[in-house]
Amino acid sequence: IIMYESTKKFSFVVFGRVISGILQGLFFLIFAYLLSPNDFGEISYFIAIAGIVSIISRFGFNQSVLISRSKVNLNLVNEINLLTLIITSIAGILLIPFNIFISILCIGISFFTMSQHNLLGSKDNKFFMVYSIVKGILMIVISLTLFHFLQIEGIILGMAITNLSLSLPFIKNLRLSRFTNIKSNIKFFLNNFGIDTSIHLTRSIDKIIIVPLLDFTSVGLYQFNLQILLGFEMLPIALHNYLLSEESSNQKHKKIEF
């Protein structure tokens, strides 16, 4: 029974990751067809900026909240969620002079990421799967709709709206806190920040480097081919997220690890 429940919970995470990954690939495929290579490169560049600022400003708190919630350390969970809200909101505000749509997307990415990791920490894997799939569907529908009115900015706004609208588990878990546990967990946060950046930062920073050296067209072609490679990492990331939650609550899964 235990093995069946573990497999069932793991399958929710994998299914959510795989389907959302397919939908994300479809999203980029659709706009690669609708946009010129230069415009597709520009949109990829803007998304990368929002992603980088989100990764840095959330400081690995998504990993930290997953572990803390798995250990039922709710005081630390509340402090992490509230601190993330403050820092990522400030980061988003600082992006407004550059581009208000990128600013909103940055905040949306941070909130949705925190939302999903709160769900994983609570072992609400079924809801994690549902939110992942719904996000992929809404991102295509809303972005396509707004694209006809706002062009490139409509795509970014559509992504932002999708992320924000599905951040309910994060927003719902916000509680006022005095941050009494933050200082004593600095090493814990730094370690998780390193893990989070090593996983996600490389997906975005490369586009920031390519644009000054080449052009938006090169970024567009690069992003299109990169989506295929990203598909191969969906299962390892799903396994990492699942095991991080399980082992943080002292549940071992030797067969899965093997």
Side-chain angles (χ1 to χ4, degrees), residues 138-257:
L138 289 181
M139 192 164 68
I140 293 174
V141 174
I142 297 175
S143 295
L144 267 175
T145 302
L146 293 179
F147 170 68
H148 290 288
F149 299 98
L150 299 172
Q151 298 302 306
I152 289 178
E153 288 81 5
I155 300 173
I156 299 174
L157 183 59
M159 294 178 68
I161 292 173
T162 299
N163 279 279
L164 287 171
S165 64
L166 295 173
S167 298
L168 182 61
F170 169 64
I171 297 171
K172 186 177 67 174
N173 282 297
L174 289 172
R175 300 288 187 277
L176 290 176
S177 302
R178 293 185 177 182
F179 303 122
T180 55
N181 297 294
I182 295 298
K183 187 176 180 180
S184 60
N185 285 280
I186 292 297
K187 289 185 179 179
F188 171 59
F189 296 145
L190 286 172
N191 179 65
N192 290 324
F193 178 62
I195 294 171
D196 192 47
T197 52
S198 66
I199 295 173
H200 298 108
L201 194 60
T202 52
R203 302 180 190 177
S204 300
I205 202 167
D206 47 2
K207 301 169 190 68
I208 305 300
I209 297 172
I210 293 173
V211 168
L213 296 175
L214 299 172
D215 51 27
F216 285 126
T217 300
S218 299
V219 173
L221 295 172
Y222 173 77
Q223 176 66 36
F224 181 77
N225 290 284
L226 183 64
Q227 284 303 124
I228 299 174
L229 296 177
L230 290 177
F232 291 104
E233 67 176 16
M234 287 187 291
L235 183 58
I237 290 177
L239 181 61
H240 167 76
N241 288 334
Y242 175 74
L243 289 179
L244 188 60
S245 172
E246 293 293 291
E247 296 194 357
S248 294
S249 55
N250 297 318
Q251 296 188 36
K252 301 295 182 181
H253 298 275
K254 293 183 179 180
K255 291 187 177 182
I256 294 178
E257 290 175 338

Side-chain angles (χ1 to χ4, degrees), residues 26-43:
L26 180 60
F27 170 86
F28 281 103
L29 184 63
I30 290 171
F31 286 107
Y33 173 77
L34 294 175
L35 299 170
S36 67
N38 184 78
D39 288 343
F40 186 67
E42 187 175 359
I43 191 72

Side-chain angles (χ1 to χ4, degrees), residues 60-67 117 192 195-196 199 240 244:
F61 287 146
N62 51 313
Q63 302 282 339
S64 300
V65 83
L66 190 160
I67 295 170
H117 282 76
N192 290 324
I195 294 171
D196 192 47
I199 295 173
H240 167 76
L244 188 60

Side-chain angles (χ1 to χ4, degrees), residues 44-54 95 98 102 106 204 208:
S44 300
Y45 178 72
F46 289 156
I47 294 171
I49 293 174
I52 290 172
V53 177
S54 170
L95 276 175
F98 178 73
I102 295 177
C106 171
S204 300
I208 305 300

Side-chain angles (χ1 to χ4, degrees), residues 1-7 9 251 253:
I1 295 175
I2 295 175
M3 188 61 188
Y4 170 75
E5 286 298 322
S6 296
T7 304
K9 289 189 291 184
Q251 296 188 36
H253 298 275

